[in-house]
Amino acid sequence: MAWRAPDNLRFYIQEARLVSINLGSSRPSVDVALHALPRRYRKLRAIHPLRLALFNEYCQEWTEDFVPCVSLGEEDEDKETGERFTVPCPPFYQIPPISLARADSLKRLFTWIDLLPLETVRRTVHLLYPETKAWSFASDADDTDHKIFKCITWSRLVDHDGERHYRGAMSIFVQPPWVLSVRDLELFCERQSFFGSSSSSSTENFHERPTTPHERLWYKLWDCCITRSSPWFVVSTYTHWVFGVFSNGWTAAFVSPVYSYDSHDPSVLQLLLFWLCSAMGFPGGWVVPEVRIEPAYPNQHLTASVSDLAVGPLIRQHLPSGMDTTRSASFDSI
């Protein structure tokens, strides 16, 4: 007899793996780079990779501590909202597979990501934290890179100065695997420094110097995240996933290794859930390490402060008794 996912949510999140994507026999002919070049206004200086074993351990422990293994008495689908678990997990769970068109364009690739892992994580978060019912994944408006780059943000509508706008907590940036290769992602996740903005070279040479795909991706993400006042992010080609966050002063970033779509111990669903709950400032989440001698970013460039998400002190305040509150510092090898 198959279970419903909420009958043992922990086991489901741990065992369910993303299905293999159908990219089709041909790939679109795309020879376009992101429109993101070095600029002096960016404060990004260093990328710090997170250690695989420790990051996996933290994610696994968080899942054990905060995702229940007892029945929640809920169905796979919320009949009122239509939210549901969509990632199959045979033979244990009775979640039917979804038939999707082959992902031979960015639009169709985005549909695979939205309807499978993101829909499942949305249902999971709303079950675990009912107070997040107003939060959901909202697709951002297309920009100059819309042919090869798409963003969807975990956000909610808020009232501010008589106007309604979205406040985001985490963004998922999507690029097709035929544009962003596994090697590009591996280079993206390596320890590296950005010293261009402090260069004494002329502005013209600075703006026109050669850039690599992974450098352009960092520039693009920094701009997108700071515009949304949301330092937490995920990069995905569906076939591969990376999880990252910028420091409080936006001068550094911490980034996970590259995970495959069928990753296990932890699964992509585990990682997504863990990273989203960390971005929301929920108990036990990952805490962004402090960067010494980091200047605060000018307030006029932000529409909301990082503290709006209660990332640091709130997490430490609500950690279970005995949980090591300094573990996050061990993830970087500074």
Side-chain angles (χ1 to χ4, degrees), residues 291-295:
V291 177
R292 292 187 176 88
I293 321 177
E294 180 178 63

Side-chain angles (χ1 to χ4, degrees), residues 136-158:
S136 189
F137 289 107
S139 179
D140 287 13
D142 290 336
D143 63 11
T144 55
D145 293 307
H146 66 276
K147 292 183 178 180
I148 60 171
F149 183 89
K150 184 70 175 176
C151 175
I152 186 168
T153 303
W154 178 255
S155 57
R156 68 180 178 93
L157 278 172
V158 296

